[in-house]
């Protein structure tokens, strides 16, 4: 059964983003899936999905590229905006050890860039729609055990910026979600992660669908359970 819903997935070349694009398209959404370079896996999904998946190019850290995507999509009505793109570098290092450029890359890609996209694209999202950004369980300051401290700091910064955005838009009726997908086996999550993609992403999409029409900010896991900030 076709739906008239549209999901924009930013950062869908591989891993969780590709799986989000595949899951939404399997649920009959029209999916606009972005990558920053060519992605044979995303091209394959597009080819399999007979018009339901279209692809776009954007590098999230490049504001010109983000603005150009916005101009191409202006006029679309989105039900879901999901900013998934992220990087993890120097995960075992401490502030004295890290190469500054690695830390800055994480802050730029994981915190500032997603929020520039939310800021720019939020008016394309339906009033009962969902704006989601991929955060992480380890972005919780309260629950922190110090794991991957530099990367987790970038997700905590993302959470703070999303909170600030919600404070500046108190009347906004859209759901604003910081999503923690669990520790998942991807290039970033590594082979020791506890979950297969198939144990995470379908639940993440169930959770997104449960948030249509539920306004406000939440830091949530894949079961739609709040995570302490
Ligand atoms: N895996 C986990 O356990 C886990 C847990 C919690 C949160 N997360 C978060 O979930 C998201 C996806 O992670 P993943 O595990 O799927 O990682 P991944 O396999 O390393 O994939 C990262 C994705 O982000 C894209 N990306 C990175 N920088 C980008 C940029 N400047 N512009 C556009 N796209 C960019 C990558 O594109 P390219 O192919 O071009 O590099 C790729 O599609 C990230 O935000 C991550 O922090 C992951």
């Amino acid at each position: 059964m076709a739906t008239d819903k549209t999901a924009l997935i930013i950062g869908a070349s591989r891993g969780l983003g590709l799986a989000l694009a595949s899951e939404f398209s399997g649920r009959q959404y029209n999916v606009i899936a972005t990558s920053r370079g060519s992605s044979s896996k995303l091209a394959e999904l597009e080819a399999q999905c007979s018009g339901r998946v279209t692809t776009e190019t954007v590098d999230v850290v490049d504001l010109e590229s983000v603005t150009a995507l916005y101009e191409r999509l202006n006029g679309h009505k989105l039900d879901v905006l999901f900013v998934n793109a992220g990087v993890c570098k120097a995960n075992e290092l401490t502030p004295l050890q890290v190469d500054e450029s690695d830390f800055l890359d994480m802050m730029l890609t994981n915190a500032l860039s997603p929020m520039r996209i939310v800021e720019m694209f939020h008016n394309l999202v339906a009033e009962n729609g969902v704006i989601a950004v991929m955060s992480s369980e380890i972005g919780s300051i309260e629950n922190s055990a110090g794991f991957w401290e530099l990367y987790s700091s970038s997700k905590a910064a993302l959470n703070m910026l999303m909170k600030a955005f919600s404070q500046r838009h108190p009347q906004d009726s859209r759901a604003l979600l910081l999503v923690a997908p669990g520790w998942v086996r991807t290039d970033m999550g590594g082979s020791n992660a506890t979950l297969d993609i198939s144990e995470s992403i379908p639940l993440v999409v169930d959770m997104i669908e449960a948030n249509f029409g539920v306004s406000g900010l939440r830091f949530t896991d894949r079961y739609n359970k709040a995570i302490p900030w």
Side-chain angles (χ1 to χ4, degrees):
M1 164 89 76
T3 79
D4 56 0
K5 286 195 160 57
T6 299
L8 171 61
I9 315 294
I10 304 283
S13 61
R14 57 195 166 97
L16 302 185
L18 179 69
L20 283 169
S22 172
E23 186 68 27
F24 277 111
S25 87
R27 296 185 194 204
Q28 308 301 318
Y29 285 62
N30 299 305
V31 175
I32 306 166
T34 80
S35 61
R36 62 177 156 174
S38 65
S39 160
S40 55
K41 289 179 184 160
L42 186 53
E44 210 175 289
L45 180 68
E46 185 180 22
Q48 279 163 9
C49 290
S50 58
R52 266 198 331 279
V53 175
T54 54
T55 56
E56 285 281 353
T57 303
V58 69
D59 183 333
V60 300
V61 303
D62 176 352
L63 194 51
E64 262 184 43
S65 157
V66 172
T67 305
L69 178 68
Y70 178 76
E71 282 163 4
R72 290 197 298 279
L73 297 185
N74 200 359
H76 281 69
K77 186 50 79 187
L78 307 174
D79 298 282
V80 178
L81 164 62
F82 201 132
V83 189
N84 168 75
V87 289
C88 180
K89 296 181 169 181
N91 44 4
E92 305 295 343
L93 302 186
T94 64
L96 263 184
Q97 297 166 333
V98 69
D99 184 330
E100 274 176 19
S101 65
D102 285 346
F103 184 65
L104 293 174
D105 277 354
M106 285 192 285
M107 282 295 184
L108 186 57
T109 310
N110 298 349
L112 187 67
S113 299
M115 291 313 303
R116 293 198 295 210
I117 292 172
V118 169
E119 194 93 43
M120 199 183 288
F121 284 67
H122 82 277
N123 66 345
L124 302 185
V125 179
E127 290 189 354
N128 68 342
V130 174
I131 296 174
V133 183
M134 201 63 103
S135 182
S136 171
E137 276 81 356
I138 61 177
S140 167
I141 290 176
E142 189 171 331
N143 285 350
S144 174
F147 187 71
W148 289 7
E149 63 190 76
L150 301 170
Y151 165 80
S152 61
S153 309
S154 70
K155 295 296 189 180
L158 166 69
N159 291 1
M160 176 62 90
L161 290 171
M162 187 75 140
K163 169 117 193 187
F165 176 85
S166 78
Q167 298 292 111
R168 280 190 284 111
H169 298 81
Q171 309 302 334
D172 200 312
S173 59
R174 301 160 181 98
L176 289 176
L177 306 180
L178 290 153
V179 177
W183 188 19
V184 192
R185 290 187 290 278
T186 61
D187 293 340
M188 184 188 297
S191 56
N192 291 330
T194 47
L195 302 174
D196 185 71
I197 287 178
S198 63
E199 297 172 287
S200 167
I201 289 306
L203 292 172
V204 168
V205 176
D206 288 348
M207 181 275 289
I208 296 288
E209 291 190 315
N211 279 282
F212 284 129
V214 187
S215 64
L217 173 69
R218 287 174 289 288
F219 180 22
T220 175
D221 70 10
R222 63 194 182 281
Y223 300 109
N224 208 14
K225 187 164 170 281
I227 296 178
W229 294 89

